[in-house]
């Protein structure tokens, strides 16, 4: 048999990929990184970005955390390369040789962050194939999110990156102190006071500007500014470093420090921490499959959404009514079909798919949608609505635009209305008054969801959330029923007057009311509320606190 014959069994070829996962924000993963993660058989992940990279891997991936003690740095079968406890992929060499793809993700970039270089050396010495996918380095990404450009024109043209997480030789400190370069230092929070003193002792001016960023590129990011001479006092005053009256952040926390005149630009360029809802924990009580778009929009404003299902959507108890309605659609029983929710679109679509139908079955039928979100769900299905409210996005608004039945122009006088079992009769009554016959069909049932975990319930009642967004009266009733009433420091945002009225009936103070009944307008209104609140505090010369930090006994953090 020829060695090149297609019948020759090939030995699978595996490899290790050293992949930069960025400094913390999942959005900083590169397109190439996402592509590689989809082919991972084994994932060895740094802790900060482990959840983000896992989301792009196959469900069958074998996951290991690089910080595990069992991942000690051992070369191949027993040959010790180092005993410092650094992370490694070496214990997965057997998997590579059996044809598996081992992806080793690094928080930041493999060339600048972590111990990836030593792990690459282990691969090279063991003749294990590997490749490198660069990522956004912590020392580059964090200053950018802090609003500190490392270069501006000719200023800061010389930038030096320093890893001061371990003891630096005296000669290095002397060199750093005597130069005029912009320094980007990756170090431990507790080391900052001594590092600042050492730099001054070796020639840096005490009034050199300094920024310190904790948990950079995440919605927990905090940046503190000062000078080499004052930064220790600033951190103690902000209760970040130990002082007689503070409970500090862990001094072993990794931070990125920028030293140089470039820091002065932060006052104008701080774009991330000044987002209107930056760091706000926002509760989104909706059905799980409907919360995505709203949560995504909240994230653009800097919020941290927590999706808590309060309503579960289930099929009708007797499916025969829906089956007859779908048959009527196909046989020409209806002139109109009106959708009042995304769930109604979903219920009809699922029935269509069950019977092997698609959007072409709507041919010759006029389609109405109550609001923008419902209309978009229809468009995604391949159906463009013929009628949407021109004014208020509600059943009443739809009725304002609905034409009366005309026996001359309308060959059929019947409307199909697939909706929830607990829907109001407003639309049915209005259509009947306009001369239409209505088949009011239960397309789905809404039932109260199971209570959220105990810690979530405690956060709701104890003021741990900064805001709660209510998108319907049922979400108000169900949230209070399964989790209790939100604390009075929590900002309450409602999608419309009916929802606001229900919230007030349950003893809640409504702070934000959407100008239009859509989730987009609701999120935007909450963002405007947060921005106005931040601006008022800034103009008054007061610190900016999140609503949850105003509750009794809460620990306030400098913003």
């Amino acid at each position: 048999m020829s060695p090149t014959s297609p019948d020759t069994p090939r030995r699978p070829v595996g490899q290790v990929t050293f992949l930069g996962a960025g400094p913390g924000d999942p959005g900083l993963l590169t397109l190439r990184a996402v592509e590689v993660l989809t082919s991972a058989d084994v994932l060895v992940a740094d802790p900060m970005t482990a959840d983000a990279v896992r989301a792009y891997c196959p469900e069958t991936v074998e996951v290991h955390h690089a910080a595990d003690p069992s991942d000690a740095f051992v070369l191949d079968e027993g040959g010790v390369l180092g005993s410092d406890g650094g992370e490694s992929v070496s214990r997965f060499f057997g998997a590579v040789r059996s044809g598996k793809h081992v992806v080793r993700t690094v928080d930041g970039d493999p060339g600048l962050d972590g111990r990836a270089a030593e792990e690459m050396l282990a691969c090279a010495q063991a003749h294990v194939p590997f490749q490198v996918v660069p990522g956004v380095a912590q020392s580059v990404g964090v200053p950018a999110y802090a609003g500190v450009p490392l270069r501006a024109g000719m200023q800061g043209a010389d930038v030096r990156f320093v890893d001061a997480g371990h003891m630096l030789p005296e000669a290095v400190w002397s060199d750093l102190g005597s130069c005029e370069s912009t320094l980007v230092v990756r170090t431990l929070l507790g080391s900052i006071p001594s590092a600042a003193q050492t730099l001054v002792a070796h020639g840096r001016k005490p009034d050199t500007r300094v920024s310190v960023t904790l948990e950079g590129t995440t919605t927990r990011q905090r940046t503190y500014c000062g000078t080499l001479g004052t930064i220790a006092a600033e951190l103690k005053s902000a209760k970040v470093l130990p002082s007689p009256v503070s409970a500090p952040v862990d001094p072993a926390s990794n931070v990125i420090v920028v030293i140089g005149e470039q820091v002065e630009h932060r006052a104008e360029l701080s774009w991330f921490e000044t987002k209107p809802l930056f760091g706000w924990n926002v509760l989104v009580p909706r059905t799980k499959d409907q919360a995505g778009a709203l949560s995504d929009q909240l994230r653009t404003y800097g919020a941290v959404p927590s999706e808590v299902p309060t309503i579960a959507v289930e099929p009708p108890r007797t499916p025969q009514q829906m089956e007859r309605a779908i048959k009527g659609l196909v046989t020409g029983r209806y002139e109109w079909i009106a959708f009042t929710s995304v769930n109604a679109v979903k219920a009809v679509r699922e029935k269509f798919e069950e019977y092997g139908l698609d959007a072409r079955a709507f041919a010759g039928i006029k389609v109405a949608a109550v609001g923008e979100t419902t209309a978009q769900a229809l468009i995604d299905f391949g159906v463009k609505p013929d009628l949407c409210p021109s004014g208020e996005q509600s059943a009443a608004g739809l009725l304002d635009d609905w034409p009366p039945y005309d026996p001359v122009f309308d060959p059929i006088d019947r409307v199909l209305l697939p909706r929830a079992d607990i829907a109001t009769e407003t639309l049915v009554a209005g259509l009947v008054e306009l001369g239409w016959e209505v088949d009011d069909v239960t397309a789905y049932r809404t039932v109260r969801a199971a209570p959220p975990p105990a810690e979530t319930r405690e956060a709701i009642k104890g003021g741990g959330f900064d805001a709660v967004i209510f998108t319907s009266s049922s979400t108000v009733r169900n949230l209070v029923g399964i989790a209790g009433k939100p604390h009075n420091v929590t900002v309450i945002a409602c999608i419309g007057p009916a929802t606001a009225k229900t919230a007030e009936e349950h003893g809640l103070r409504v702070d934000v009311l959407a100008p239009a009944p859509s989730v987009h307008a609701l999120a935007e209104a909450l963002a405007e509320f947060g921005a106005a609140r931040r601006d008022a505090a800034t103009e008054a010369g007061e610190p900016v606190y999140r609503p949850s930090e105003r509750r009794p006994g809460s620990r306030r953090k400098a913003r």
Side-chain angles (χ1 to χ4, degrees):
M1 183 181 293
S2 169
T4 59
S5 168
D7 296 328
T8 304
R10 291 189 174 184
R11 182 180 179 184
V13 178
Q15 69 173 343
V16 178
T17 297
F18 293 93
L19 184 147
D25 182 352
L28 293 180
L29 274 170
T30 66
L31 293 174
R32 174 61 177 152
V34 171
E35 178 187 1
V36 167
L37 288 166
T38 61
S39 65
D41 298 306
V42 178
L43 176 67
V44 186
D46 272 0
M48 187 167 59
T49 54
D51 290 341
V53 296
R54 173 67 182 86
Y56 295 100
C57 295
E59 291 187 4
T60 55
V61 71
E62 179 184 329
V63 181
H64 300 265
H65 293 285
D68 288 349
S70 59
D71 288 341
F73 201 66
V74 179
L75 175 59
D76 209 6
E77 290 86 10
V80 177
L81 184 67
S83 57
D84 57 3
E87 291 78 30
S88 175
V89 296
S90 56
R91 70 189 185 99
F92 303 103
F93 285 173
V96 175
R97 291 182 175 123
S98 68
K100 291 187 177 180
H101 183 193
V102 176
V103 178
R104 166 68 162 103
T105 65
V106 176
D107 291 342
D109 174 77
L112 274 180
D113 300 302
R115 306 296 299 273
E118 287 145 335
E119 297 176 12
M120 293 177 204
L121 179 61
C123 290
Q125 292 180 354
H127 305 290
V128 170
F130 69 91
Q131 65 174 344
V132 179
V133 177
V136 178
Q138 296 179 29
S139 298
V140 174
V142 173
Y145 271 54
V148 181
L150 301 183
R151 293 187 62 185
M154 293 307 295
Q155 277 190 313
D158 184 14
V159 181
R160 300 183 64 173
F161 297 97
V162 182
D163 188 346
H166 302 280
M167 186 72 67
L168 293 178
E170 186 72 15
V172 174
W173 284 117
S174 179
D175 185 33
L176 297 175
S178 61
C179 73
E180 297 183 358
S181 305
T182 296
L183 303 181
V184 185
V185 185
R186 183 184 178 199
T187 189
L188 303 179
L189 177 62
S191 302
I192 291 174
S194 61
Q197 291 175 358
T198 304
L199 284 170
V200 171
H202 284 87
R204 285 269 174 161
K205 295 179 180 179
D207 61 356
T208 302
R209 302 296 298 273
V210 177
S211 70
V212 177
T213 303
L214 290 73
E215 300 189 83
T217 79
T218 73
T219 49
R220 299 176 302 279
Q221 175 177 305
R222 284 169 288 158
T223 300
Y224 304 89
C225 295
T227 66
L228 285 175
T230 65
I231 191 61
E234 295 281 353
L235 294 175
K236 288 180 180 179
S237 175
K239 300 180 181 180
V240 178
L241 282 177
S243 72
V245 294
S246 74
V249 179
D250 183 0
S253 301
N254 282 307
V255 296
I256 298 295
V257 181
V258 180
I259 301 167
E261 297 310 310
Q262 297 299 95
V263 175
E264 68 184 15
H265 295 293
R266 172 175 158 77
E268 298 174 284
L269 302 181
S270 178
W271 61 274
F272 186 55
E273 291 171 68
T274 54
K275 287 189 173 188
L277 300 177
F278 183 79
W280 281 40
N281 293 308
V282 179
L283 185 69
V284 183
R286 305 193 71 198
T287 54
K288 188 67 176 176
D289 58 347
Q290 291 181 337
L294 177 56
S295 294
D296 288 344
Q297 187 177 355
L298 290 169
R299 289 187 186 95
T300 68
Y301 299 129
V304 184
S306 295
E307 300 170 358
V308 176
T310 59
I311 300 172
V313 176
E314 297 182 356
R317 287 191 174 90
T318 54
Q320 290 82 3
Q321 194 180 31
M322 266 292 282
E323 290 170 359
R324 287 195 298 268
I326 299 302
K327 182 179 179 181
L329 275 174
V330 176
T331 58
R333 175 178 171 82
Y334 302 106
E335 179 77 5
W336 283 91
I337 180 170
F339 291 96
T340 59
S341 69
V342 172
N343 283 324
V345 177
K346 181 180 178 183
V348 170
R349 185 171 183 172
E350 287 175 349
K351 277 294 180 185
F352 269 37
E353 292 170 351
E354 182 180 332
Y355 297 138
L357 302 173
D358 57 28
R360 289 173 292 184
F362 285 103
I365 301 172
K366 297 173 184 175
V367 179
V370 157
E372 298 170 0
T373 308
T374 304
Q376 186 58 53
L378 283 166
I379 292 170
D380 293 342
F381 186 22
V383 180
K384 184 178 180 180
D386 299 283
L387 179 64
C388 290
S390 59
E392 180 182 331
Q393 304 287 294
S394 66
L398 187 62
L399 283 171
D400 288 340
D401 293 333
W402 197 290
Y405 171 66
D406 188 327
V408 175
F409 296 102
D410 298 315
I412 304 170
D413 67 350
R414 195 168 295 276
V415 177
L416 173 60
L417 182 57
R419 58 188 189 140
D421 57 333
I422 60 171
T424 62
E425 300 300 318
T426 303
L427 189 54
V428 174
L431 290 172
V432 170
E433 189 174 332
L434 289 170
W436 296 94
E437 295 287 334
V438 180
D439 280 2
D440 186 8
V441 175
T442 299
Y444 61 95
R445 293 183 302 120
T446 56
V447 298
R448 182 176 289 178
E455 59 267 24
T456 302
R457 299 198 301 271
E458 180 57 36
I460 291 170
K461 294 183 289 186
F465 285 101
D466 298 291
V468 178
I469 281 188
F470 289 117
T471 57
S472 67
S473 292
S474 58
T475 57
V476 178
R477 291 189 292 266
N478 288 343
L479 181 71
V480 173
I482 66 176
K485 189 170 75 172
H487 194 280
N488 59 14
V489 301
T490 306
V491 173
I492 305 298
C494 295
I495 199 167
T499 303
K501 181 181 178 182
T502 303
E504 290 167 351
E505 289 172 351
H506 283 77
L508 300 176
R509 178 198 69 251
V510 177
D511 303 286
V512 178
L513 185 64
S518 72
V519 293
H520 173 79
L522 179 56
E524 194 172 64
L526 181 60
E528 290 173 356
F529 176 88
R533 191 173 177 277
R534 175 182 288 273
D535 291 345
T538 302
E539 289 173 9
E542 299 175 352
V544 179
Y545 295 117
R546 300 196 315 271
S548 63
E549 294 172 321
R550 289 291 191 185
R551 71 188 190 276
S554 67
R555 178 180 158 221
R556 297 176 180 174
K557 301 177 182 178
R559 303 288 298 168

